[in-house]
Amino acid sequence: MEPRGEVFVLGLILSVIVLIISVMISVWARRLTRNLGDYYVAGRSIGALNNGLAMVSLALSLITFIGLTALIIEGLYVAVAVYASFTAAFIGLMVLAAPYLRRHKSFTTMAFISERYDSKTLRYISVIVMMIVSVLYLAGNLKGIGIVFFFLLGVPEVVGIVVGGLVVTLYVTLGGMYGVTYNQTFQTIVLLFCLMFPVAIVMRALGASGWVFPPFGYGDMVPQMTEAVPHYFWAMVTHPVVYIAIFLGSFFGIIGLPHFVMRFFTVRDAREARWSTVICVFLVGLVNTTVYATGFAAVYYMQAEGVDIPSAAYDYVVFILVETLAGDSWLALAVAGSVAAGLSTVSGLLMIMGAGLIHDLYGTIKPEVDDEKKLKLSYGAMFFVGIAVIIFSLDPPEFILEAIMWSFGIAAAGLGVPIVLGIWWKRTNKYGVGAGMVVGSLIAFIGWIMIGYMGMDPVDIPFPFFANYFYGPLGWIKVIAVAVPISFILTIVVSWLTPPPPEELQRQVDEMHGWSDVDPKRYNSKILPVVIIILSIFIMYFMTYEPEGTDFPRLEGQEHTLRDRD
Amino acid sequence: MANDSRRSYKLEVWVTAICFIIVAVTGGFFSSIVVIMNETFFNQVPTPEGLVNSYGETMFVFKEHLAVWGFPLHYFLLIFLSWIGATLVGAIWCLVMDRLEEKQRA
C-alpha cells in the first residue's frame, strides 16, 4: 500500500479524538488515586465487566489490525491456530491462576513469586524476566502506531511514535491503574465498533451470505479461497509438535505475562476475576474470528475481482478493503480503532514495567521507604519508562508477531511455570523454582537471541540434541517445546530433592484456594507432578516423531525441510 | 464436615482438570491430531503447475464432504471450540466455582 500523499483529515480527526479522550479519562481517574494501592491495582475495586473489557484491549494489540491478516492471506492455517490457542488460553489462565492470584493479594507477578516462595532472589530474577518479556512484547507496538499514522493519515512515522508514546505515557503516569483500566475499557469499545462494522460492510460488498455476522459468515467464499491458496487449510505445513509448542507458549505464557496477571489484582474478589475472564475470552474470540474473516475476504477479493494486492501491503489489507469497498468514513473508524488497539497494549506494559521497577525492585532494595514516597517515585519511574520506550520504538529490532511469540515462550518458562506450580503443588520450593525459571527462561531467551535477533538458522544453534529437530517451517517455535517442559521438570525434581517449604508458605496455597482451614494433604498429591513430568518428557520426545510421507512446503525464510535435513 | 471438605476439594481439582484438558485440546493438541490424521481430513492431488515451486508436486485439499457451513471440518472445529467452546467451558467452571465458594463460606 502506497503511503497517502495527503493528510487523511477525517481519520486524523477521529484518531486525535481517541487520543484526547484517553488523556481526559486519566485526568478524571487521577482524582481516584490516593495511595499506592490505588495507583498500582486501582484499589482492588474493578468489577468483572470493566476488567473483562480492559483485558480485551490488552489482548488485542495492533497486530490484530496489521499483521495477522497478512499471515492469513499467505495461507497459514498455523496463523489461525496460534490465535485460536491464544483465545482458549484465557480459560487456561482462569482455571489455573486468575482467582487464586486475586486471593493472594499481591500487587504484581514478581511480588507473588517472591512472597509465595519467600525469596528476594526470585523477586530480582522475576523482575529481569518481566523486563525482557515486556520489552519484547512492546517491540513494534508503538512502531505500529507510527506506521498507521504514516500510511493512513499521511503524518510522518516519527510523529506518530512520539505523539502516541507521549499520550500513553501521560495517561499512565497521571491516572495510574484507574486511568489505564478505564482507558482500556474505552479502547475496547472503540476497537469492537471500529472493526466489526467496517468488516461487515466489506463482507456485504463482496456478497458473503452471512455478512451480518462476519466470524462465521464467509463459508461460501471457501472454494475461491482454496483455489488461490491451495494449502490454506492444510495443518501439515508444520511439524505437529509446533502446535503443542504454541499451546505451551500461549497457555503458560499468558499466565506468565505480568501485564495480563496484573489485571486480576485489580478486581474486587475471586468471583469477579473469574467472570471477567469469561467476558474477555468471548470478546477476544469475536474480534479474532472477525480478523480471520477479513483475511478470507482479502483472498476472495483478489481472486474474484482479479485485483493484485502486493504482498508488502498485506499488513494493511483491513484498511485497503475498507477504503475500497466501504468508503472513507468507515476507513476513518478502522484507523481510529487501530490507534486505540496500539495504545491499550502499550499502556498495560508501561504500567507493569513501572510497578516492577519501583514496587518490586526499589521497594525490595530499600524496604524502609514509605508508600507515599514510593507513589511519588512511581510517577517519575512511569514517565522515565515511557520516554525510554518511545526512544526504543523509533528503531525496534523486529516487528510484532515473532517478538510476541518469543516473549510468550520466555514468560511461560520463566514466570508461568512457577505461578502454576505455586498455586497447585504445595511441595514446590524456592530452589526448584530458581532452577526451573532460570534454566527455562534462559533456553527461550538464548533461542530468541540466536534465532530471532542474530538470525541464525534454528538447526544451526549450539543446542545439544534438540537443535537437530528445530527444522521445518516455524521450526524455531519448537524451542518453546523444550524450554517449558524443562522448566517444569527442573522445578519439580529439584523441589523434591530439597527440603519442603515451611508450613506458613504451604498455608498460602490453601488460602489462595479459598479454604479457611489448612489440610496438609490438599494440593500435595504426587500424581500431579508425576503426570506433568511424564507429559513434559513425552512432548520433548514427540519432537523426534516424523510424520510419514511428509515433505513440508517451503515458506519464505524457512530453508530447512525434512528432506534437507536427511 | 471433613468429608464435605474432602468432596469439595476433589470436585475443585477434577472440574479444573477436565476444563483445562478440554481447552488444551483446542489450544494445540487438536491441530497436532489433524496433522497425524492427515489422510482423514485431506485428499492428495497434483499441484497446479504455477504453484509447484511453493508446494511441491502434490498438494492437499480438504475433503468437501467434511465441510460445515462451507468450512472444512477441522477449521470450523478449531475456531468454534477455541471461541464459543472455550467461553462455555469457562462459564461452566465459573458456576461450579461460585457454588464451591458459597459452600466454603458456609
Side-chain angles (χ1 to χ4, degrees), chain A residues 360-430:
Chain A
D360 293 302
L361 204 58
Y362 183 76
T364 309
I365 294 168
K366 293 205 164 188
E368 70 279 7
V369 175
D370 61 27
D371 278 4
E372 202 176 325
K373 191 173 178 195
K374 273 191 204 164
L375 180 61
K376 281 181 189 158
L377 283 170
S378 298
Y379 286 116
M382 217 62 85
F383 186 75
F384 167 77
V385 170
I387 300 301
V389 164
I390 292 171
I391 294 167
F392 175 76
S393 300
L394 292 172
D395 187 22
E398 60 200 62
F399 198 56
I400 308 175
L401 185 62
E402 199 173 317
I404 286 182
M405 291 185 75
W406 278 113
S407 75
F408 266 81
I410 299 167
L415 300 172
V417 172
I419 291 174
V420 171
L421 287 177
I423 292 170
W424 289 97
W425 192 44
K426 279 180 182 169
R427 188 65 175 73
T428 319
N429 65 19
K430 59 183 173 187

Side-chain angles (χ1 to χ4, degrees), chain A residues 57-291:
Chain A
S57 78
L58 207 53
L60 302 171
S61 64
L62 248 180
I63 195 169
T64 309
F65 282 86
I66 53 170
L68 177 56
T69 44
L71 290 176
I72 291 171
I73 296 167
E74 281 159 6
L76 286 174
Y77 166 86
V78 74
V80 173
V82 167
Y83 269 73
S85 185
F86 179 59
T87 309
F90 278 96
I91 299 302
L93 166 67
M94 180 178 75
V95 302
L96 293 185
Y100 314 109
L101 289 169
R102 173 59 190 85
R103 287 200 192 101
H104 193 265
K105 299 187 170 66
S106 307
F107 273 8
T108 62
T109 299
M110 295 73 77
F112 169 79
I113 289 174
S114 168
E115 287 160 25
R116 166 66 182 85
Y117 300 110
D118 189 29
S119 166
K120 279 187 187 174
T121 312
L122 287 182
R123 188 184 286 243
Y124 297 137
I125 296 171
S126 53
V127 168
I128 293 168
V129 176
M130 178 276 292
M131 291 301 281
I132 293 170
V133 162
S134 300
V135 168
L136 270 176
Y137 206 101
L138 208 55
N141 259 298
L142 262 187
K143 174 90 172 171
I145 296 177
I147 290 171
V148 169
F149 270 74
F150 180 58
F151 279 94
L152 298 162
L153 301 174
V155 176
E157 195 176 306
V158 178
V159 175
I161 293 172
V162 173
V163 170
L166 281 177
V167 167
V168 180
T169 305
L170 191 65
Y171 80 64
V172 173
T173 307
L174 277 180
M177 188 49 102
Y178 274 117
V180 168
T181 303
Y182 291 117
N183 261 307
Q184 287 177 338
T185 302
F186 162 70
Q187 284 150 0
T188 295
I189 294 165
V190 171
L191 198 153
L192 284 172
F193 184 78
C194 295
L195 181 69
M196 297 296 295
F197 286 97
V199 170
I201 300 294
V202 165
M203 303 283 276
R204 188 178 66 172
L206 288 173
S209 57
W211 67 271
V212 178
F213 189 61
F216 286 116
Y218 51 98
D220 46 357
M221 293 176 172
V222 168
Q224 262 103 339
M225 171 86 188
T226 43
E227 206 174 302
V229 189
H231 271 292
Y232 179 76
F233 293 107
W234 194 40
M236 213 167 176
V237 292
T238 57
H239 188 284
V241 88
V242 165
Y243 296 104
I244 307 283
I246 289 167
F247 152 72
L248 291 171
S250 54
F251 274 62
F252 295 102
I254 207 166
I255 293 171
L257 281 166
H259 62 297
F260 283 110
V261 170
M262 203 172 180
R263 288 248 46 97
F264 295 113
F265 297 124
T266 68
V267 290
R268 284 184 213 123
D269 54 34
R271 187 174 184 274
E272 305 284 316
R274 288 195 288 269
W275 284 103
S276 65
T277 319
V278 175
I279 294 167
C280 168
V281 77
F282 178 75
L283 294 176
V284 167
L286 179 67
V287 172
N288 283 343
T289 45
T290 303
V291 176

Side-chain angles (χ1 to χ4, degrees), chain A residues 414-496:
Chain A
L415 300 172
V417 172
I419 291 174
V420 171
L421 287 177
I423 292 170
W424 289 97
W425 192 44
K426 279 180 182 169
R427 188 65 175 73
T428 319
N429 65 19
K430 59 183 173 187
Y431 309 108
V433 167
M437 79 192 287
V438 168
V439 176
S441 54
L442 268 181
I443 290 172
F445 181 64
I446 291 172
W448 172 71
I449 292 284
M450 290 193 282
I451 302 167
Y453 190 71
M454 292 165 62
M456 288 173 71
D457 195 313
V459 293
D460 292 334
I461 66 170
F463 197 95
F465 179 70
F466 290 105
N468 284 333
Y469 295 96
F470 294 158
Y471 60 82
L474 303 175
W476 58 270
I477 294 182
K478 295 178 196 168
V479 175
I480 299 170
V482 177
V484 178
I486 282 185
S487 180
F488 268 119
I489 292 171
L490 274 178
T491 307
I492 290 169
V493 171
V494 175
S495 291
W496 244 326

Side-chain angles (χ1 to χ4, degrees), chain A residues 275-319:
Chain A
W275 284 103
S276 65
T277 319
V278 175
I279 294 167
C280 168
V281 77
F282 178 75
L283 294 176
V284 167
L286 179 67
V287 172
N288 283 343
T289 45
T290 303
V291 176
Y292 310 154
T294 314
F296 264 77
V299 176
Y300 179 86
Y301 174 62
M302 288 191 276
Q303 184 74 3
E305 307 287 327
V307 177
D308 183 31
I309 299 174
S311 58
Y314 284 174
D315 278 343
Y316 312 101
V317 81
V318 173
F319 307 109

Side-chain angles (χ1 to χ4, degrees), chain A residues 85 103 231 233 240 513 523, chain B residues 12 27 32 38 55 74 83 101:
Chain A
S85 185
R103 287 200 192 101
H231 271 292
F233 293 107
H513 287 266
Y523 315 105
Chain B
E12 182 203 5
S32 280
N38 185 41
Y55 296 122
H74 70 293
W83 176 29
E101 211 168 69

